[in-house]
Amino acid sequence: MAVYTEVSFDEAAPLLLSLGLGQLQTITACAGGIENTNYFVDTDQGRYVLTLFERLSFEQLPFYLYLMQHLAQHGIPVPEPHALVNGKAGKPGDILLKLKGKPAAVVDRLRGRSELAPTPAHCAAVGDMLARMHLAGLDYPRQQPNLRGLAWWNETVPVVLPHLDPAQNRLILSELAYQNHVAASSACQALPRGPVHADLFRDNVMFDRQGDSLELTGFFDFYFAGWDAFLFDIGVTLNDWCVDLATGAHDAERARAFMAAYQAVRRLSPQERNLLPAMQRAGALRFWISRLWDLHLPREAAVLQAHDPGHFERVLRQRIAHPYSLQD
């Protein structure tokens, strides 16, 4: 989360009232992430997150917001967007709002906290819920491509190349060529597809622990979601939850827990099993490119925390040198 557009208490309070969420008590800027402007807002009725969208348009946003609504209504714990009951931000029933001339939304704030040092139990809970999310999305009627997919990689790599050393240049170009080759194959084109989160990192999942009981309380930040191969979503998630952050090396125990739980709900096809190493490489490439882009072509923000692109360069090198298979 970041802050590009500053919102005052007096600007936010009428919006919360128009959503029927009560009197605003506090509003606090959020410092994590880099795409949108986010605030934690507390009212006398509950705790919420206010988001102003800085890159996504009014035309693109219904896919994300109605996906969250669809998943929530199908039993997947996600922040459900709140609809207007009255006011000037739109018409009653709207979940896509407008604030300070920008598209906006208000969603429930999930309870619990993110787990930044996950155990196999955390990874199993994520694998189980990701599979349930994929199945729940199968009848979602809207379609929108993954806007940070292969087409974006092909457009963005030439922009970041001047910022790379020769070894990085060779790596990123060779991997991009490989991913274009994989994407053109009949096996890849036949992969099961649907709405994917595409950004399910450790800080986008919440857990609550009561004694010995561990509960996954929700997935959030769906604003990189899109229509893509479920296997790409798995690759992205494995790359964050089941690696050593210092080196990018694969963690076999956590990966086994994640994949066993996922496959207990939705079993991978033979084509998916064969292409899993390629999709992990794809996930690493995607986030290496985007972090290079964010680092070298930054936008101005009142609160901004850029991520280290070197991490996903290391993950990509590890996935090339040590491909993961479900037998590991």
Side-chain angles (χ1 to χ4, degrees), residues 52-88:
L52 279 71
F53 300 97
E54 303 292 345
R55 280 183 166 150
L56 295 169
S57 68
F58 282 98
E59 293 73 28
Q60 294 166 332
L61 278 161
F63 174 86
Y64 307 99
L65 296 176
Y66 285 101
L67 174 61
M68 292 161 66
Q69 184 183 73
H70 175 90
L71 294 174
Q73 292 173 354
H74 284 68
I76 307 301
V78 303
E80 187 167 3
H82 284 274
L84 286 171
V85 294
N86 57 66
K88 298 179 180 180

Side-chain angles (χ1 to χ4, degrees), residues 212-258:
D212 294 332
S213 176
L214 178 69
E215 180 187 2
L216 192 162
T217 56
F219 292 170
F220 65 100
D221 199 358
F222 277 80
Y223 304 117
F224 284 121
W227 202 267
D228 209 329
F230 293 142
L231 194 65
F232 177 73
D233 221 11
I234 293 170
V236 167
T237 309
L238 281 169
N239 281 348
D240 186 66
W241 287 86
C242 305
V243 299
D244 174 69
L245 292 180
T247 64
H250 172 72
D251 186 298
E253 183 182 10
R254 281 185 271 156
R256 280 194 297 269
F258 175 93

Side-chain angles (χ1 to χ4, degrees), residues 11 26 57 106 164 176 190 213-214 217 219 245 289 296 318:
E11 290 167 329
T26 63
S57 68
V106 174
L164 305 183
L176 183 61
S213 176
L214 178 69
T217 56
F219 292 170
L245 292 180
I289 295 170
H296 296 296
Q318 285 280 351

Side-chain angles (χ1 to χ4, degrees), residues 150-151 153-154 172-191 193 275 278-279 281-282 285:
L150 183 64
W153 310 346
N154 283 318
I172 205 166
L173 288 175
S174 65
E175 186 61 28
L176 183 61
Y178 172 73
Q179 292 300 333
N180 276 286
H181 173 75
V182 170
S185 69
S186 57
C188 185
Q189 293 176 15
L191 290 174
R193 294 172 185 270
L275 282 173
M279 289 299 102
R281 288 169 60 171
L285 177 65

